[in-house]
Amino acid sequence: MNMAWPITFVLSGLGLMIGIGSGTLISIARGEQSMTNAHRAFNTGLILTFIISCLSFAAFAFFGGYFLQLQGAQQDIKHLALDYVSTFGNAAFITVLAGAMPMLIRNDDSPKIATALLVIGALTNIVLDYVFLGLMGWELKGAAIATLIAQGITCVGGLIYFCSQYSTLKLKISLPQFSWSESQKIMSLGSSALIMYLYGSFVVALHNEPVGFLPYSFSILILPIFHHDMSLNALKPCDLI
């Protein structure tokens, strides 16, 4: 899981980038009383999600194993981690959309619904992890499937919301409304979130590399030490407050 996490975590960062960027443009348009611009930003965000998901699928398919090797994954660990990474890569659209959807709903003046979908998804993930790993023994691939099902619930719930009477932004994909300039604004506004996720992935990957050559059982014992060190480093800025 630790070897695969830095790779799959980027998908969530991409989704959050689109969600924050699109949500910001939607909020600006609503403040200007321009629902046309709000719908354009919403439509562009959804199409951009699909485009980035396709690119992510290709990257995972061709370079997933290489990214694991960079972290020093040995054959036994690499096999398990690659199952996890491949499963996420094949369903990249779900993960990216699940990252963007709560932000889009929140900026449609429905923060409670956005929070409810996140809570439902998290609880579903916990239950399915127990079923797929504890009862069925599906290993890391089971964990990935559990997460994707939970994210799928978030996506479906969000799509239902945007088709309902509670949403001011109706779900209507229109290619002519897609704007490359709007896409650039979305990625620029949401880039800080993506950078934060990339930093987290990079730090974990650096901690994975020294233990990648160790036996699987020993690596499980040693990783909490590194994660504890990461937590201490994250708390250091608080000393200045």
Side-chain angles (χ1 to χ4, degrees):
M1 180 76 79
N2 286 282
M3 290 288 178
W5 184 80
I7 303 172
T8 59
F9 198 48
V10 175
L11 288 177
S12 299
L14 290 169
L16 194 59
M17 175 189 72
I18 296 172
I20 290 177
S22 300
T24 301
L25 293 180
I26 290 170
S27 295
I28 293 173
R30 287 166 61 90
E32 296 173 345
Q33 304 297 317
S34 176
M35 291 308 297
T36 300
N37 289 341
H39 278 94
R40 183 185 299 112
F42 178 61
N43 184 80
T44 299
L46 291 179
I47 295 177
L48 184 61
T49 298
F50 176 76
I51 294 173
I52 289 180
S53 298
C54 291
L55 296 175
S56 300
F57 167 77
F60 276 49
F62 289 105
F63 303 110
Y66 175 71
F67 291 144
L68 292 172
Q69 288 180 350
L70 285 178
Q71 299 178 68
Q74 296 301 303
Q75 197 60 36
D76 53 345
I77 298 178
K78 181 182 176 182
H79 173 72
L80 294 172
L82 193 57
D83 280 345
Y84 190 86
V85 170
S86 299
T87 303
F88 267 96
N90 292 336
F93 179 74
I94 294 176
T95 301
V96 176
L97 183 61
M101 191 62 74
M103 304 301 299
L104 295 173
I105 296 174
R106 190 190 71 175
N107 283 280
D108 193 39
D109 282 346
S110 297
K112 292 182 179 179
I113 294 178
T115 302
L117 287 176
L118 288 173
V119 172
I120 292 171
L123 293 177
T124 301
N125 195 4
I126 293 171
V127 173
L128 292 180
D129 274 340
Y130 171 73
V131 173
F132 293 159
L133 276 72
L135 299 182
M136 304 182 69
W138 286 4
E139 298 180 334
L140 288 186
K141 188 173 183 178
I145 294 174
T147 301
L148 288 172
I149 291 175
Q151 292 175 341
I153 291 175
T154 300
C155 293
V156 171
L159 295 176
I160 292 174
Y161 164 78
F162 283 115
C163 292
S164 72
Q165 59 181 349
Y166 300 103
S167 173
T168 59
L169 298 170
K170 299 305 177 184
L171 183 64
K172 187 178 180 181
I173 306 297
S174 175
L175 288 177
Q177 280 193 338
F178 179 75
S179 169
W180 282 111
S181 62
E182 202 90 341
S183 298
Q184 293 175 351
K185 291 180 182 178
I186 289 173
M187 291 186 288
S188 176
L189 290 169
S191 60
S192 59
L194 177 60
I195 291 172
M196 180 182 68
Y197 273 65
L198 289 173
Y199 169 75
S201 295
F202 178 71
V203 171
V204 174
L206 283 181
H207 284 78
N208 282 339
E209 199 277 334
V211 300
F213 64 90
L214 297 173
Y216 178 74
S217 58
F218 189 75
S219 66
I220 294 298
L221 294 174
I222 202 71
L223 276 169
I225 299 175
F226 288 116
H227 292 171
H228 176 68
D229 177 64
M230 288 172 58
S231 300
L232 291 178
N233 287 332
L235 290 172
K236 282 182 180 179
C238 298
D239 295 337
L240 302 177
I241 299 176

